[in-house]
Amino acid sequence: MTAVIFDCDGTLVDSEPLARTAWERALLPYGYTLTDGDAEACIGLPYPRVHAYFAERAALPAAEPFWAIFSNELFALIDTALVPFDDAIGAARDLRSRGVPVAVASSSPRERLHRTLGRAGLLEAFDVTVAGDEVARGKPAPDMFLLAAERLGVDPASCVVIEDSPPGVQAGRAAGMVTLAVCRVPGTEASLAAADRVVDTVSADAILEAA
């Protein structure tokens, strides 16, 4: 193993419930009520794909103007209710203290990723960060993990990916990287079965063992 690449939302921070609430609030004026199936279908996907998903179901503005509506709701929640996952953050810091390069590769646009890392006190915690709007294809394509490896200056085959969603696991595997999935929702382990290993909590030792 040369480096470790972490997903952000759902892996480093418990932001998925906040995103769901923001989507619910942003969609409601357009007459759409978000369902559990919608939330499951969209987890781990980049904003343009989620917007396209809902634009097929409601008469929404285009992606860019709707981002202002959605992000206004989301950032208010991030600023007041974001909860970090201490296990993953501790693992990232532990690895870095051991001299292992660490990166973040998130489906979130740069604006959201920066806001999230800032609120979690993680802006200086990683050697490299990659946002969803910096690659041509989001997860489950491998582009952002490959870009993270490129920015770190390491061989993708020597990287370990830490993910919590099926699209993220697919992306890590497609990048040719060892992929460790952390199951944040009990009972959903089967959806992460494509990972090399599934764990309940993240630690530096578990990552090293997976490698």
Side-chain angles (χ1 to χ4, degrees):
M1 182 188 68
T2 301
V4 179
I5 306 172
F6 288 81
D7 169 55
C8 182
D9 299 297
T11 299
L12 292 171
V13 295
D14 191 14
S15 54
E16 298 293 359
L18 306 185
R20 173 170 178 159
T21 298
W23 277 108
E24 288 173 342
R25 293 176 179 176
L27 291 168
L28 196 57
Y30 298 92
Y32 191 83
T33 301
L34 187 144
T35 68
D36 289 344
D38 293 330
E40 184 177 349
C42 295
I43 191 167
L45 298 179
Y47 169 75
R49 289 189 61 185
V50 179
H51 173 271
Y53 174 91
F54 287 117
E56 293 178 352
R57 292 158 175 80
L60 302 184
E64 186 172 347
F66 191 79
W67 170 253
I69 298 169
F70 169 69
S71 64
N72 183 61
E73 298 286 356
L74 178 61
F75 291 172
L77 292 167
I78 287 174
D79 289 348
T80 58
L82 184 69
V83 177
F85 284 121
D86 291 337
D87 61 334
I89 291 173
R93 289 178 169 153
D94 190 2
L95 289 165
R96 202 177 191 196
S97 73
R98 301 186 196 189
V100 178
V102 291
V104 172
S106 171
S107 291
S108 294
R110 173 58 62 181
E111 183 182 12
R112 175 180 172 182
L113 179 58
H114 186 85
R115 187 73 160 251
T116 300
L117 294 177
R119 286 296 172 183
L122 297 173
L123 284 176
E124 306 301 325
F126 296 90
D127 300 290
V128 160
T129 63
V130 175
D133 53 357
E134 295 170 352
V135 294
R137 301 178 300 166
K139 301 171 186 176
D143 300 31
M144 63 182 58
F145 290 131
L146 295 174
L147 180 57
E150 179 182 330
R151 289 180 176 177
L152 287 169
V154 299
D155 182 353
S158 298
C159 295
V160 175
V161 164
I162 315 300
E163 266 286 356
D164 75 299
S165 72
V169 168
Q170 291 177 53
R173 298 285 290 166
M177 301 177 180
V178 172
T179 303
L180 185 149
V182 55
C183 182
R184 297 298 191 191
V185 181
T188 63
E189 293 86 352
S191 69
L192 303 170
D196 292 285
R197 183 178 177 190
V198 180
V199 297
D200 294 327
T201 58
V202 182
S203 68
D205 288 340
I207 294 168
L208 294 170
E209 288 172 9

